[in-house]
Amino acid sequence: MPEVELFSPGSLGTCWYGKYHYLEPWVGCEHNCPYCYSRSRISVRESLRKHGTKFDCPIPLLPPEQLLRAIDKEANSGLINIVKLSRYTDIFTPQFVQNGLSHAILEVLAKSKVKRIIITTKGLPSSEIIRLMTDNAAKFSYNAAFRPSGLLPESPLAAFDSHLHPIEERLQAAQQIQSGGCLTTIHCDPFVAGIDDAPEALYPFLELLKKYHLNRVMWSYLLFSPGIMEEVRRAVPAADLDKILSRYNTETGRQVLPNQEDTISWAQNNETALKSVDTVAQALIAGGFQFVLCSLKSIKGLDLSKYPRTMLCDGQFYA
């Protein structure tokens, strides 16, 4: 059975295929987001079984000192130019931020031959990590993930964010990292049409971004899949979930990545997608943001002529 590897090349079928290597220092994630596709991937499930742990109790793939030596060896091999953290977990998983392992890994990478370190996170970096990143700003790209409706305590998706630090704390960290010279992007992910693009969620969130001078935005729509539905049904009230799923093509799943049957997912129907994209794009244009939409090619009938050219994400906007 396949297992999670410490380093692996970018996946076939993604915009970064052949450009980046993923680094997975541990298996599992304390954020334990109900919608996380990672929990349903065969390699993740096999690694969790091998290490005798659960998804919400992450464990390093190797003992810490051995892990750092292995990362140092690979990062200095000359074969890896760009590292993406991570595909299946979060480098700012709280326990590893607190015990210093996250910092130690980033320090090894910052000192290595690796040219670029791309972080996508829902976590909160420590002040030591922020200092390390800004001291090596040319090497780091920082993508902080949020959902606008996370601002709303009565949101039907409140459980999606229940293990995360408050939004403003994470935005403050992003501002500090951006001010230190790192390319910083706010990634609205996973975006749920009809909830995250509702005026009471979207506009206050964009005002917060302006407050913290964070003007680069990418957004990605939530894909559902059979492997996550048990967790999602526990997290979202049944009536609300039924309403959300009514906007999805649940009868026709598509395999997102070639040769990986565990990536079969359900996307929004086209009418929902087109309406949501226009709502979000117009709000971002009005706010003066730079922005791209992830997975643009999966939306049929989108008239690009009324949007900025940067709507076409080629994997470089956040890198």
Side-chain angles (χ1 to χ4, degrees), residues 59 62 89 121 141 149 198-199 201 209 218 237 239 258-259 291 306 311:
I59 188 169
L62 297 166
T89 188
T121 181
S141 171
S149 66
L209 297 190
M218 181 165 78
N259 305 316
F291 65 91
K306 59 182 179 180
M311 279 283 281

Side-chain angles (χ1 to χ4, degrees), residues 154-214:
E154 301 302 318
S155 168
L157 303 182
F160 277 19
D161 308 300
S162 60
H163 298 289
L164 304 181
H165 287 276
I167 284 178
E168 287 222 40
E169 285 186 34
R170 292 186 285 136
L171 287 175
Q172 288 168 5
Q175 182 189 40
Q176 291 178 326
I177 290 167
Q178 177 177 265
S179 297
C182 298
L183 179 67
T184 300
T185 304
I186 300 302
H187 193 169
C188 295
D189 176 57
F191 205 87
V192 179
I195 295 179
D196 287 304
D197 55 10
E200 63 271 21
L202 181 60
Y203 293 114
F205 181 72
L206 296 184
E207 286 303 313
L208 266 184
L209 297 190
K210 291 180 184 179
K211 172 183 174 181
Y212 290 106
H213 307 290
L214 297 163

Side-chain angles (χ1 to χ4, degrees), residues 52 80 110 127 177 275:
I80 297 175
S127 57
I177 290 167
K275 180 180 178 181

Side-chain angles (χ1 to χ4, degrees), residues 73-93:
K73 180 180 178 181
E74 291 296 324
N76 286 294
S77 68
L79 301 175
I80 297 175
N81 291 319
I82 303 175
V83 169
K84 196 169 191 298
L85 293 158
S86 295
R87 184 181 182 190
Y88 295 136
T89 188
D90 194 320
I91 188 62
F92 297 144
T93 289

